[in-house]
Amino acid sequence: MPGALIAIVIAISSLALTKYYPLAGLVPLLPVFALVTHYIIGSKRTRSELKNTILFSLYSMGPFLVYLIAVHALIDLMPLKWALICPSALW
């Protein structure tokens, strides 16, 4: 698992330096960790429990959307550090 995390950080850093920098924002959304999580739960728990886990994961999309909207709104109003910290509190 640490290797996957390192690969994700490298991918984000590399893409951020290219003219395709917006793609760096999509890298964390790749389902690498979701696949691992769903496989582990799916192989050790019932299908019903796996489905509950998936539904619970869907609920996380709302707070993430609030975070992204808040960062977008605050980025022009305050220093980067605070424009990231404040939306994190909303999340």
Side-chain angles (χ1 to χ4, degrees), residues 6-7 10 12-13 15 17 28 30 32 36-37 40 55 59 63 77 80 83 85 88:
I6 291 169
I10 291 171
I12 292 169
S13 298
L15 282 169
L17 298 174
L30 294 173
V32 174
V36 172
T37 300
I40 292 170
L55 285 176
Y59 294 134
L77 302 175
L80 177 61
I85 290 173
S88 295

Side-chain angles (χ1 to χ4, degrees), residues 29-89:
L29 301 177
L30 294 173
V32 174
F33 298 113
L35 286 170
V36 172
T37 300
H38 296 153
Y39 177 78
I40 292 170
I41 292 172
S43 63
K44 300 191 183 299
R45 312 290 296 205
T46 66
R47 291 195 186 271
S48 176
E49 290 170 323
L50 174 58
K51 288 175 78 173
N52 284 338
T53 302
I54 292 166
L55 285 176
F56 185 76
S57 298
L58 284 171
Y59 294 134
S60 73
M61 300 309 259
F64 187 59
L65 182 61
V66 169
Y67 167 82
L68 291 175
I69 291 169
V71 170
H72 187 270
L74 295 175
I75 205 73
D76 291 328
L77 302 175
M78 55 183 60
L80 177 61
K81 179 175 138 181
W82 289 107
L84 296 175
I85 290 173
C86 293
S88 295

